[in-house]
Amino acid sequence: MEFSFSSKYPFTSEAKQKVEGSSLELNDEMMERAVQRVVTALKGKAEAPLEHGDERGTPYHIHPSDELLELGSYAAARMMLAHLRNRFLINKFAVAEAKRASSFMGKDSEENLRKLGDELGINPQEFEGKLALPVYQYASFSPRSIDYRLIFRNVKNGFVEVTRHEVIRLMEEAVKGKMESYKPLQNPPQIIRDYSQKLMVLVPKETVLKMSFKEGDNPPCIEKLLEGAKAHQNLNHQARLVLAIYLLARNVPVEKVQAIFSNLPDYEDRKTKYQLDHIIKRGYSMPSCATMLSYGLCVADCRIGSPIRWKGKVEPWKKGKGSSS
Ligand code: SF4
């Protein structure tokens, strides 16, 4: 059978009802699958669906007897994460599950997208012949990327014009947000405790996060970004760019910058290396404080013009040929 709505989107109330209405119980097979689901997330991949479909739009398939197991493995993975409350695992899982759902959305029917939108609180509608979203929905779920900033969008009568692709991108963000929140799990079953230990082994050691900077070495905006990386937050594009430029300007070795970025939930080794090499090659210069403010990354009023002038300690590592600002 094709993947059902519930299998594609196991976080929905329909999927929850299916699990609750079944005689499904936690067992070793389900727990192994749940662990595998998290392990796959840590590798930066979406679990399963691409093995069951192809890029030409052939429907994804799942054996009927596997459907409940699939839903159960998702629920078990969530229970383990609620028990562990480890930010690294939670954020990695959130990114992977959101991407998994998004890979289905791109090929799903309009009816299913509408149904999912109702669940997530994203209801696109026709407005003057174009697809549009109410501003409050758009603002709640738009990615923190400059392309999605309202000042660059066509806004009219409380609606923002969007494309189908953008609606799916917003839905992906909404799924990620859903995946990042957990209610504390009171008295988890022993099987959840036991298998949770297997996940903790996968969490990187804190030593990777240690920096040679001392307190006060960096301006508040950069400290905040470093803290975000340390807490495995999903920093947006501008934040990553700024942090990379700053660290390279401070002569932090590329390998170390890469190690810091490896804490981000959607980290990809090759992509990050390529981007760091690109920054070095193009000689990007540090954005000014005004630009940082426009990115929403300025958190204080240091009156130094640019974060790189913090305490006058650092010199740009290279005279910029290009500029990110
Ligand atoms: S004023 Fe400049 S250095 Fe200070 S927090 Fe803002 S962007 Fe950073």
Side-chain angles (χ1 to χ4, degrees), residues 242-273:
V242 160
L243 186 57
I245 293 172
Y246 178 87
L247 292 171
L248 292 170
R250 298 234 23 199
N251 292 322
V252 176
V254 173
E255 299 70 39
K256 192 148 189 176
V257 178
Q258 210 161 347
I260 291 164
F261 277 84
S262 73
N263 289 291
L264 304 184
D266 59 352
Y267 171 76
E268 285 176 40
D269 200 52
R270 274 178 53 194
K271 197 169 159 190
T272 306
K273 177 83 173 64

Side-chain angles (χ1 to χ4, degrees), residues 136-205:
Y136 68 93
Q137 292 187 358
Y138 180 88
S140 301
F141 301 111
S142 56
R144 286 185 301 159
S145 150
I146 202 153
D147 297 337
Y148 283 84
R149 296 192 73 176
L150 270 176
I151 49 166
F152 300 128
R153 310 298 307 212
N154 195 6
V155 185
K156 207 170 170 190
N157 293 342
F159 283 86
V160 187
E161 193 183 316
V162 284
T163 63
R164 186 180 192 273
H165 172 77
E166 287 169 340
V167 171
I168 290 174
R169 183 69 187 86
L170 263 68
M171 284 189 180
E172 184 182 323
E173 282 297 307
V175 174
K176 183 153 70 65
K178 225 171 157 58
M179 294 290 120
E180 285 169 348
S181 70
Y182 285 82
K183 288 190 189 128
L185 192 61
Q186 308 289 350
N187 298 320
Q190 191 57 44
I191 195 166
I192 291 289
R193 292 172 196 268
D194 292 346
Y195 276 88
S196 295
Q197 294 316 309
K198 294 192 179 192
L199 295 184
M200 280 315 284
V201 177
L202 305 169
V203 178
K205 301 285 170 281

Side-chain angles (χ1 to χ4, degrees), residues 218-222 287-293 297-310:
N218 304 304
C221 50
I222 298 299
S288 65
C289 291
T291 304
M292 292 285 282
L293 191 64
L297 298 174
C298 175
V299 294
D301 185 9
C302 312
R303 302 179 184 213
I304 52 176
S306 164
I308 209 71
R309 295 203 197 110
W310 179 251

Side-chain angles (χ1 to χ4, degrees), residues 21 52-53 62 69-70 88 99 112 211 214 240 260 305 308:
H52 296 271
I62 185 170
L69 194 57
E70 172 83 12
F88 174 77
K99 283 192 189 309
N112 273 356
M211 301 269 308
K214 293 192 287 296
R240 289 168 200 230
I260 291 164
I308 209 71

Side-chain angles (χ1 to χ4, degrees), residues 11-238:
F11 46 84
T12 54
S13 43
E14 184 175 307
K16 198 173 170 205
Q17 280 165 17
K18 227 176 217 177
V19 171
E20 287 174 352
S22 73
S23 53
L24 202 62
E25 283 183 7
L26 294 170
N27 57 37
D28 289 317
E29 186 186 7
M30 190 190 298
M31 293 308 300
E32 290 291 355
R33 212 145 151 168
V35 168
Q36 191 51 46
R37 201 169 180 125
V38 181
V39 169
T40 309
L42 294 185
K43 289 179 187 160
K45 293 178 184 164
E47 173 68 1
L50 293 177
E51 291 166 18
H52 296 271
D54 67 25
E55 298 301 326
R56 292 162 301 177
T58 307
Y60 302 113
H61 287 84
I62 185 170
H63 196 280
S65 61
D66 265 357
E67 192 194 17
L68 269 182
L69 194 57
E70 172 83 12
L71 297 183
S73 75
Y74 165 81
R78 291 270 297 168
M79 286 172 83
M80 285 191 284
L81 296 178
H83 170 54
L84 293 171
R85 302 191 76 73
N86 178 279
R87 207 16 83 183
F88 174 77
L89 294 175
I90 287 174
N91 288 354
K92 281 274 192 188
F93 188 73
V95 168
E97 287 292 321
K99 283 192 189 309
R100 176 189 186 276
S102 172
S103 74
F104 281 119
M105 289 179 220
K107 295 174 187 143
D108 217 338
S109 65
E110 294 308 312
E111 187 192 346
N112 273 356
L113 277 191
R114 250 195 311 278
K115 196 164 142 188
L116 185 61
D118 286 344
E119 181 96 24
L120 298 171
I122 296 178
N123 310 101
Q125 40 200 284
E126 284 265 314
F127 185 75
E128 296 183 347
K130 304 256 174 68
L131 202 58
L133 274 176
V135 169
Y136 68 93
Q137 292 187 358
Y138 180 88
S140 301
F141 301 111
S142 56
R144 286 185 301 159
S145 150
I146 202 153
D147 297 337
Y148 283 84
R149 296 192 73 176
L150 270 176
I151 49 166
F152 300 128
R153 310 298 307 212
N154 195 6
V155 185
K156 207 170 170 190
N157 293 342
F159 283 86
V160 187
E161 193 183 316
V162 284
T163 63
R164 186 180 192 273
H165 172 77
E166 287 169 340
V167 171
I168 290 174
R169 183 69 187 86
L170 263 68
M171 284 189 180
E172 184 182 323
E173 282 297 307
V175 174
K176 183 153 70 65
K178 225 171 157 58
M179 294 290 120
E180 285 169 348
S181 70
Y182 285 82
K183 288 190 189 128
L185 192 61
Q186 308 289 350
N187 298 320
Q190 191 57 44
I191 195 166
I192 291 289
R193 292 172 196 268
D194 292 346
Y195 276 88
S196 295
Q197 294 316 309
K198 294 192 179 192
L199 295 184
M200 280 315 284
V201 177
L202 305 169
V203 178
K205 301 285 170 281
E206 284 280 312
T207 46
V208 167
L209 307 168
K210 292 235 165 39
M211 301 269 308
S212 54
F213 295 126
K214 293 192 287 296
E215 199 182 336
D217 261 1
N218 304 304
C221 50
I222 298 299
E223 282 298 336
K224 185 146 187 265
L225 295 179
L226 287 170
E227 281 304 311
K230 190 172 172 180
H232 313 293
Q233 288 169 7
N234 202 11
L235 304 181
N236 70 19
H237 172 71
Q238 274 82 26

